């Protein structure tokens, strides 16, 4: 798209996309600062409408158009005329020592940039001037890209969104100047924008639903566009807002489109990059049609990249990451999230074959009546009707529940029969949970339970399922299957050695506290309780769970030919393996499709926190880099001289090289340098 267009055209294009996109989109009346309405039109395809329904459909769209036009009846040029007095950045490009080697980017195709995020403006606590030496080092190492995440509070004065601090802008001028001088592309990004951030604390206003923060957002980008209007795209781009949530695409395109209009009013050719939806994970074709490139993220799997990250709730309880690894997602979603609902579906027939064959004490155990889902009762179901619960052959399943989002009914079934059903409810004060957590963004409690719920499984069962049948979602820390002690033998723990154990990925198998120290396999080989523990190790939101099989030796894999809901069948169980192919197919393929459709894409952030073992990080990074290189994705590591970077990252298991006044991770540097294709 030729981006020498006026703001009125941008508005018209957004309106057309809005009307063409879907009849069921939420409508946001920013003109009156009201929340998203929930007006749904007919609820069916227009092709199936009868005459009456079509008339209602058209009437509804007339209303939508009126609301939409009311929201955009102002003119950017008039609204931001005050920018005319602001200084403009200038640079003597004619006097530059050498011609630039930087490629020319377009919204349709971004270059293979390679570089880093610099955090000088990341928040008010870290705010510091830019150091030219850092740019010199980045260039000397062979990199050509720097992204600057900006907390808007660092560049305003007196808390006034419309009063930009000239001293702060002069610091940004220095960064742009250093980039030009050292042939490094600079990408300015509002990491915290008026009304939105993924960081803490959250903003008190709402960029997506309220007029004033949206106007401040446009004003800031209009000011930056005017200031740097003379800088070519080879040296400078704008990345509008960091990691938008999973909001309606039309709402996102509208807000980004207005900001783009403010930019192109002053700098008609400026390259604009908008992060993908759902925190950078989901491409937006509306954004592409508006003439903007997009940026994704490289933080998968999250339990590897953010292992023990202090700012991530529950990261201190993530299992130790490995790469490649068995993928066992930790979230169970209820019908409230039907599009990503998950179930642990486990074939235990081989692992526990014959455990109930000689049972004589079996019998039907009735179901205790429980309260309604809406009540906070301790309603619970014992062994399901019709299921033989043999004491001599039963084994136990312990489910350690981590987080409970609002309320969720945990259900366990054996061969389709309900054995256990319990409504878990988070709330204020004391309860079953260990830690009360109020999620202000959603106005619900997401308490940390960290508590076992135990179920007796009858012998001879072939299939066990664990799911959330009603409510929101829970996280699961582990699933532990325990076989009983052999008849007539003691269970005196502490008298002798523990049974031998085996650990594979997120699965461990072994004897526990037996007198004789047997129990290296399912049959035990001696006395004591034998356990198989499945430890979910994938914290990626929305990750699907294929049906699993526990073999006779305790190995867990995806069922051959099985698939998670909505997925393709697995030919050989590879659907549970996290590796380079998994990264490519799961997280990069949607962006390849956008690129094929004519959209420019890069990876705006990626990397792993310094608590992840470095050998794991390097193995994972090499697979990421190989994928980026093959697909043609430029990237920016988060960050350069901090916990994710190559300088002063403070990893406990790295032998650092002294590099001037810095400590350099040479292995990571050379790995990054090796992918310059």
């Amino acid at each position: 798209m030729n981006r020498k267009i006026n703001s009125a055209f941008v508005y018209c294009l957004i309106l057309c996309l809005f009307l063409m996109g879907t009849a069921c989109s939420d409508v946001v009346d920013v003109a009156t600062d009201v929340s998203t309405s929930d007006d749904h039109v007919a609820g069916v395809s227009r092709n199936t409408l009868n005459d009456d329904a079509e008339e209602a459909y058209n009437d509804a769209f007339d209303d939508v158009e009126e609301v939409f036009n009311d929201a955009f009846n102002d003119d950017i040029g008039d609204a931001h005329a005050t920018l005319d007095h602001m200084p403009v950045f200038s640079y003597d490009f004619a006097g530059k020592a050498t011609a630039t080697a930087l490629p020319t980017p377009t919204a349709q195709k971004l270059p293979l940039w390679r570089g880093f995020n610099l955090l000088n403006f990341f928040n008010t606590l870290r705010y510091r001037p830019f150091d030219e030496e850092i740019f010199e080092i980045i260039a000397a190492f062979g990199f050509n890209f720097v992204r600057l995440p900006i907390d808007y509070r660092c560049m305003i004065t007196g808390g006034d969104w419309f009063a930009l601090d000239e001293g702060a802008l002069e610091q940004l001028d220095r960064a742009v100047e250093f980039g030009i001088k050292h042939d490094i592309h600079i990408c300015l990004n509002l990491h915290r924008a008026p009304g939105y951030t993924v960081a803490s604390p959250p903003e008190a206003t709402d960029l997506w639903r309220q007029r004033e923060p949206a106007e401040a957002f446009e004003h800031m980008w209009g000011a930056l566009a005017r200031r740097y209007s003379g800088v070519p795209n080879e040296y400078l781009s704008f990345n509008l807002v960091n990691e938008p949530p999973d909001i309606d695409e039309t709402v996102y395109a509208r807000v980004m489109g207005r900001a783009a209009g403010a930019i192109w009013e002053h700098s008609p050719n400026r390259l604009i990059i908008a992060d993908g939806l759902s925190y950078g994970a989901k491409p937006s074709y509306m954004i592409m049609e508006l003439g903007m490139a997009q940026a994704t993220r490289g933080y998968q799997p999250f339990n590897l990249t953010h292992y023990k990250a202090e700012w991530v709730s529950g990261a201190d309880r993530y299992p130790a990451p490995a790469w490649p690894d068995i993928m066992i997602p930790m979230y169970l979603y209820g019908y409230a999230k039907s599009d990503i609902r998950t179930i642990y579906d486990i074939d235990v027939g081989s692992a526990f074959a014959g455990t109930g064959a000689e049972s004589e004490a079996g019998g039907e155990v009735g179901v205790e009546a429980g309260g309604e889902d809406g009540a906070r009762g301790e309603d619970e179901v014992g062994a399901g009707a019709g299921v033989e619960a043999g004491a001599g052959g039963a084994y136990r399943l312990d489910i350690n529940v981590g987080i409970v989002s609002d309320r969720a009914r945990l259900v366990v079934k054996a061969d389709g029969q309900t054995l256990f059903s319990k409504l878990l409810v988070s709330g204020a004060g004391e309860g079953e949970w260990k830690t009360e957590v109020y999620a202000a963004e959603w106005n619900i409690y997401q308490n940390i339970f960290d508590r076992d719920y135990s179920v007796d499984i009858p012998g001879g069962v072939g299939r066990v399922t664990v799911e959330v049948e009603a409510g929101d979602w829970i996280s699961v820390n582990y699933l532990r299957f325990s076989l009983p002690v052999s008849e007539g033998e003691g269970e005196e723990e502490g008298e002798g050695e523990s049974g031998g154990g085996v650990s594979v990925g997120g699965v461990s198998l072994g004897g526990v506290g037996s007198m004789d120290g047997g129990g290296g396999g399912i049959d035990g080989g001696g006395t004591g309780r034998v356990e198989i523990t499945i430890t979910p190790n994938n914290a990626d939101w929305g990750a699907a769970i294929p049906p699993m099989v526990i073999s006779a030796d305790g190995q867990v894999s995806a069922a051959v030919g099985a698939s998670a809901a909505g997925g393709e069948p697995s030919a050989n169980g590879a659907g549970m393996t996290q590796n380079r192919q998994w990264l490519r197919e799961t997280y990069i393929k949607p962006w390849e499709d956008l690129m094929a459709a004519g959209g420019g894409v890069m990876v705006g952030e990626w990397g792993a926190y310094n608590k992840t073992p470095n050998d794991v990080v390097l193995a994972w990074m090499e697979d990421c880099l190989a994928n980026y290189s093959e697909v043609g994705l430029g990237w920016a590591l988060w960050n350069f001289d901090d916990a994710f970077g190559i300088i002063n990252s403070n990893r406990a298991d790295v032998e650092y090289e002294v590099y001037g006044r810095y400590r350099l991770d040479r292995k990571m540097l050379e790995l990054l340098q090796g992918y310059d294709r």
Side-chain angles (χ1 to χ4, degrees), residues 2 78-79 86 96 142 194 200 207 217 242 288 308 325 437 494 501 561:
N2 182 355
D78 293 339
M86 299 182 66
K96 191 173 184 290
S200 293
L207 174 63
F217 184 68
N242 184 71
M288 181 186 75
K308 293 188 177 180
D325 202 3
V437 179

Side-chain angles (χ1 to χ4, degrees), residues 509-527:
L509 164 68
V512 178
S514 69
M515 291 177 62
D516 299 330
I522 288 293
D523 293 330
T527 61

Side-chain angles (χ1 to χ4, degrees), residues 93-121:
F93 289 98
K96 191 173 184 290
T98 58
T100 183
L102 290 172
T104 301
T106 68
Q108 294 72 40
K109 186 173 177 56
L110 296 182
L112 289 176
W113 286 317
R114 298 177 306 125
F116 306 90
N117 285 261
L118 298 184
L119 307 189
N120 300 58
F121 271 55

